[in-house]
Amino acid sequence: MTTAPVQTSEQTQEAAGAAGRYVELRIGQNWVAVCELADLTPGRGVAALLPDGHQVAVFLDRDGRSYAVGNRDPFSGAYVLSRGLLGSAAGRPFVASPLLKQRFDLATGGCLDDETASVPAYVTRRSGESAAG
């Protein structure tokens, strides 16, 4: 698995040159850049490794909105959600696990097929913008 490099918001601002070049996640009170916007293909995900060692799955939907959830599928234990398919149900964007097909709400991390399961969900933004969620 390939993971995108992670940078702090300060490193991102120095390197970006243009607003919106990086996708950032809010981790506590800080923003952390997880990948360049150019690394994302609408409808597909990438995996990124956070400074604390956790993996996230980062997505760009076909409308240009970014999302991030934990990459570990709680049903199989595999780190594969970044390889899942994007869709929507009742207007809620989700990623379907590529293994067992459970769907996880990209905004909340809740499993749409089993309310007892969830994955972490992160607020995202493009560098230089206000939060997306």
Side-chain angles (χ1 to χ4, degrees):
M1 174 184 73
T2 303
T3 57
V6 173
Q7 298 179 331
T8 65
S9 188
E10 292 77 25
Q11 291 170 320
T12 300
Q13 290 171 3
E14 291 174 9
R21 184 172 174 194
Y22 287 89
V23 174
E24 297 178 330
L25 307 183
R26 187 167 44 206
I27 309 292
Q29 298 298 316
N30 300 313
W31 288 97
V32 177
V34 292
C35 66
E36 289 190 34
L37 190 58
D39 292 335
L40 298 174
T41 300
R44 297 190 178 233
V46 298
L49 189 62
L50 296 178
D52 66 3
H54 287 93
Q55 290 185 27
V56 293
V58 184
F59 300 95
L60 187 67
D61 72 11
R62 297 192 190 284
D63 293 325
R65 290 182 298 261
S66 59
Y67 298 93
V69 296
N71 195 32
R72 184 178 178 274
D73 178 344
F75 293 95
S76 68
Y79 292 86
V80 295
L81 291 182
S82 63
R83 303 286 185 220
L85 297 175
L86 295 187
S88 65
R92 296 166 58 182
F94 67 79
V95 60
S97 172
L99 296 179
L100 301 174
K101 310 301 185 232
Q102 283 88 358
R103 301 167 300 154
F104 297 92
D105 187 308
L106 289 172
T108 67
C111 181
L112 301 179
D113 303 301
D114 181 345
E115 63 185 38
T116 66
S118 65
V119 295
Y122 299 86
V123 174
T124 67
R125 71 176 185 187
R126 293 182 188 182
S127 55
E129 292 181 347
S130 59

